[in-house]
């Protein structure tokens, strides 16, 4: 067994904290019972430590009253203000009715003030603050009449309140970040769905429009066109099932669950280009530089960029030829798709070109579009960073 470094230990601790947080969120009652037991253990300490000579021995009645001050903590989330009032009443009874040992800290009060600061509405927090400003000095006056104890008691209650507010702010920040992450994931899925559907439907429309002409002129070409439509539709359905499988709950492999296969990467490019060729386009494919084994994310981004660029050619360019070039350089993959069609169109770009730029930017790269070499046609250029750990293929 290897020795884990500090990074591994920190990751393990973070994982354990996250699991504990999830368990606590799913079992709040058990957490509150555990907190009450810990507070009761702290309240028990003065009863098991020998008392100074001359003081009355601690009695079971006094200990029972300490339990009465702790018991309301079990309901601290459901009715925090009512629990605070119950704790104050039980604590006052303890001070007046019995000669029990004192506590170094007002444990129960600190826990419930923290809870109110964390969970309660502003007016309840304000009422609690006003109540504590009265209750703490009265308690100190009944106990020791010490300015030092008053200062310390006010300090610890203010600290409990501040910790509660800080925890509330932290939870709100986590919620906002979770919502942002969900929005980013929705945007990513929408981009993937657009790429898949736009590409498939565009090719199917081209093939369907060419089919009637081919039936009259060259029946064998019509048969190939219909086969291409069928193959394109099946491929689109496969990719959509993969995408939707990521959204489904439940165990993988359950009845009817979609297979969670990897997204297509550059290894699937030849099949993509073959489908585009079936629409009548003359598609060439070249690679430059040492071919590298790309990380999964890089390959998937490059595939989708080429797919969307080809979809744009099929839908808008009225081109006869298109060239796809991949250049592997040190630390970067350069993707270029050039056609000989009508060139840039006036007006704002469509979702496809915007999606290409967003996809490249999401991977830490960039994408530009414009006229092809010599001002002819249209060209999509994308730069994707590649980790230097990627090994050169044979």
């Amino acid at each position: 067994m290897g020795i884990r470094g500090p990074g591994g230990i920190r990751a393990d601790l973070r994982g354990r904290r996250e699991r504990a947080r999830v368990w606590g969120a799913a079992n709040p009652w058990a957490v509150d019972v555990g907190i009450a037991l810990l507070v009761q253990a702290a309240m028990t300490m003065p009863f098991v430590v020998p008392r100074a000579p001359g003081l009355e021995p601690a009695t079971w009645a006094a200990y029972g009253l300490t339990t009465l001050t702790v018991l309301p903590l079990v309901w601290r989330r459901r009715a925090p203000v009512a629990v605070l009032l119950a704790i104050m009443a039980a604590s006052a009874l303890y001070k007046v009715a019995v000669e029990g040992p004192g506590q170094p800290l007002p444990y129960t009060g600190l826990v419930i003030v923290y809870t109110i600061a964390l969970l309660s509405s502003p007016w309840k927090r304000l009422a609690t603050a006003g109540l504590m400003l009265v209750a703490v000095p009265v308690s100190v006056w009944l106990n020791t009449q010490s300015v030092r104890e008053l200062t310390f008691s006010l300090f610890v209650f203010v600290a409990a309140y501040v910790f509660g507010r800080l925890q509330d702010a932290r939870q709100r920040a986590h919620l906002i970040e979770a919502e942002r992450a969900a929005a980013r994931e929705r945007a990513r899925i929408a981009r993937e769905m657009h790429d898949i559907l736009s590409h498939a439907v565009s090719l199917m429309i081209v093939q369907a429009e060419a089919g009637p002409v081919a039936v009259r002129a060259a029946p064998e070409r019509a048969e190939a066109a219909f086969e291409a439509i069928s193959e394109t539709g099946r491929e689109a359905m496969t990719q959509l099932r993969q995408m939707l499988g990521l959204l489904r709950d439940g165990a993988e492999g359950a009845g009817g669950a979609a297979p969670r296969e990897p997204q297509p990467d550059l290894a699937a490019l030849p099949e993509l280009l073959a489908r585009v060729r079936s629409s009548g386009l003359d598609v060439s494919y070249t690679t430059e530089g040492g071919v590298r084994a790309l990380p999964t994310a890089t390959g998937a981004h490059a595939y989708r960029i080429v797919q969307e660029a080809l979809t744009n050619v099929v839908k808008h360019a009225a081109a006869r030829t298109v060239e796809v070039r991949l250049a592997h350089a040190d630390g970067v993959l350069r993707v270029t798709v050039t056609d000989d069609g009508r060139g840039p169109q006036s007006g704002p770009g469509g979702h496809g070109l915007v999606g290409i730029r967003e996809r490249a930017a999401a991977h830490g790269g960039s994408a530009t579009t414009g006229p092809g070499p010599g001002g002819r046609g249209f060209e999509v250029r994308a730069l994707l960073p590649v980790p230097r750990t990627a090994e050169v293929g044979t």
Side-chain angles (χ1 to χ4, degrees), residues 63-81:
Y63 186 72
L65 277 179
T66 64
T67 302
L68 190 61
T69 64
V70 173
L71 186 61
L73 290 179
V74 175
W75 294 274
R76 69 187 185 97
R77 297 176 197 256
R78 303 177 187 177
V81 175

Side-chain angles (χ1 to χ4, degrees), residues 254-380:
R260 300 188 179 185
E261 300 176 4
Q263 288 294 307
D265 57 13
L266 294 184
L269 263 187
E271 184 179 351
L272 171 66
L273 301 181
R275 289 199 302 271
V276 176
R277 289 189 188 102
S278 68
S279 68
L281 271 174
D282 181 10
V283 183
S284 63
Y285 175 42
T286 59
T287 60
E288 302 172 5
V291 178
R292 295 176 179 271
L294 300 176
T296 302
T298 307
H301 279 293
Y303 177 92
R304 292 300 187 197
I305 288 172
V306 172
Q307 182 186 53
E308 185 55 44
L310 292 175
T311 302
N312 191 63
V313 173
V314 171
K315 291 173 63 176
H316 306 298
R320 289 178 297 177
T321 64
V322 60
E323 180 184 4
V324 178
R325 297 191 306 275
L326 300 182
H328 298 262
D330 188 20
V332 68
L333 172 65
R334 189 185 306 273
V335 180
T336 308
V337 180
T338 308
D339 66 67
D340 63 351
R342 65 184 62 169
Q345 305 297 303
S346 59
H351 294 292
L353 297 182
V354 173
I356 288 175
R357 298 187 190 100
E358 290 178 348
R359 189 179 293 280
H363 194 67
S366 62
T368 58
T369 60
R376 295 179 62 253
F378 191 76
E379 187 170 75
V380 174

Side-chain angles (χ1 to χ4, degrees), residues 115-197:
T115 302
I116 292 174
L118 174 62
L119 301 178
S120 295
S121 60
W123 75 266
K124 289 183 179 180
R125 298 199 302 265
L126 183 61
T128 298
L131 182 61
M132 299 311 295
L133 286 176
V134 175
V136 171
V138 170
S139 176
V140 172
W141 182 79
L142 291 175
N143 188 28
T144 63
Q145 301 183 6
S146 167
V147 175
R148 179 179 178 182
E149 183 179 351
L150 174 62
T151 303
F152 177 74
S153 298
L154 288 174
F155 171 78
V156 293
F157 276 107
V158 169
Y161 183 89
V162 170
F163 286 149
R165 296 308 304 147
L166 289 176
Q167 180 64 13
D168 178 64
R170 181 183 179 187
Q171 290 179 354
R172 291 176 183 272
H174 285 172
L175 180 61
I176 292 173
E177 179 56 31
E179 291 174 348
R180 289 176 178 171
R184 290 193 297 267
E185 184 64 9
R186 285 194 297 270
R188 185 191 69 81
I189 292 172
R191 198 162 52 233
E192 296 284 351
M193 299 281 280
H194 170 271
D195 291 351
I196 294 170
L197 291 175

